[in-house]
Amino acid sequence: MLNAPYDLDMPAKRTSCVVFSSPHSGRNYPESMLNRTVLNQNVIRSSEDAFVDQLFSAAADYGAPMIAATVPRAYLDLNRSAEELDPALIQGARRHGHNPRVASGLGVIPRVVANGRAIYRGKLTMDEARLRIDTCWRPYHARIKSLLAESHEAFGQAVLVDCHSMPHEAVAMASTAKSKRPEVVLGDRFGASASAKVVDRIEAAFVAAGLNVARNAPFAGAYVTQTYGRPIRHQHAVQVEIDRSLYMDEARIEPNENFAAFQEILREIIQDIARVGEEPLRLAAE
């Protein structure tokens, strides 16, 4: 069994309507999982957004809470619906139409890690699947909901910044001869999860730091942005994907020599993003 499925860093005083989250940076692998996996301890970490929680750890210094999963993505994917159960992995799970994420092995309990490498021999029981969801998925999402509700009560609006990292090769494939390779990809589900004004403001923070930013390609946002992004209700959700090569050795899953400098760059960006909402924004969907 895991301990708490998330760490929550709260500011001494909430001065920002922004909530930062990192659902894929967890690295507390339960012994029961490690005993069943066919992967070594390095390969099983390949689908982590490693160190993203550390990169965004300054959020509380600027009046914004930061919630970061401790549960690993390979154990349970918090950026999926609790109903996205994979029949190829979970005994008794039923198919509910075609779901490309589940079909590729990336349901709420993943069957594979990066590059399609299988995690387990055989299947898991439905009881095991429900235990993971009840003890990890539900508490994490309940806490996000309460943090956003607190933002609404205090500031009349809420902005969720969902923090991720992306493999360098995924970014390389997204670049063209006419465009610079993006170092950051913002996902707002093509305008459905956040107002253009909020996304513009977040993009400007990254651009001011000298980073190349793209929107919605190759990542437009998944369950978190889809579920919590309700611009018409004064609630916005934006996914942030950062090129891993900027701060880590992807093969070794270790911080590289640029980590500390990049963390300082992000500190300035976080400070800027935490100010979103200080000026009145037109929050209806645009």
Side-chain angles (χ1 to χ4, degrees), residues 30-37 121:
E31 198 65 30
S32 60
M33 180 187 186
L34 295 177
N35 289 338
R36 278 191 278 179
T37 183
R121 292 187 187 92

Side-chain angles (χ1 to χ4, degrees), residues 63-107:
M66 170 70 183
I67 181 171
T70 58
V71 56
R73 183 184 188 182
Y75 181 80
L76 181 79
D77 192 336
L78 294 163
N79 200 21
R80 296 288 183 267
S81 164
E83 304 307 314
E84 291 185 275
L85 294 170
D86 185 352
L89 177 65
I90 310 300
Q91 294 175 8
R94 297 183 178 181
R95 297 188 184 278
H96 299 282
H98 178 67
N99 183 313
R101 294 182 297 274
V102 173
S104 63
L106 298 173

